[in-house]
Amino acid sequence: QNLGGLLLTSRCSIAYGHASGWLAVAPSSQLLPAGGTVAHVLSADVTNLLPGAYIATNTVACPGATNSPKDIVITLAIAKTPQIIDFPAIPNKRIDDAAFGLSAAGGGSGNPVVFSSLAPGVVAVSGTHATIVGAGMASIRAAQAGTALYEGATNDRSFCVYPIYDQPQIVSAVATFQNIGLEITLTN
């Protein structure tokens, strides 16, 4: 705001820490009449910027003003794009089940999805194949490395490997108490 009685000119200039050209100011120069105000609007174009932090200084100068110039520091942070791995659920298995294939669709980095076992005593993983090696809780991880533009990603799938004798079974029992006329049936 121009609180004096003179006509002033407000000018903006931008200095960059690195990667220039991403910040613009409009208008870059404007007359400021006595008692008037000027708004300089800043806008950023991130089209060609990689993830990271960018700093620029907008200097607003108004020759003849007592508080001129003023520096305004602008910090722009660009994050990496997250990736999501589509890794379907794995059904529970029996210890005598055959080896099975693994598949997952990765994110935008284009890097391959790599599988690994988080329970090597229960399931072994080699490439895109999993082999049951023991009973218990199993977990397989699908991982995709990141790039300069994309974050790395993981997706874990857990399932149970049952021993052969531990499969759910139906059990029933009938007890009859003849003295009191009561019959109890238990079913599982």
Side-chain angles (χ1 to χ4, degrees), residues 42-60:
L42 297 170
S43 60
D45 178 5
V46 299
T47 304
N48 295 315
L49 298 179
L50 294 175
Y54 298 87
I55 298 173
T57 303
N58 180 33
T59 301
V60 180

Side-chain angles (χ1 to χ4, degrees), residues 167-172 187-188:
Q167 293 299 305
Q169 297 179 12
I170 297 174
V171 176
S172 65
T187 304
N188 182 14

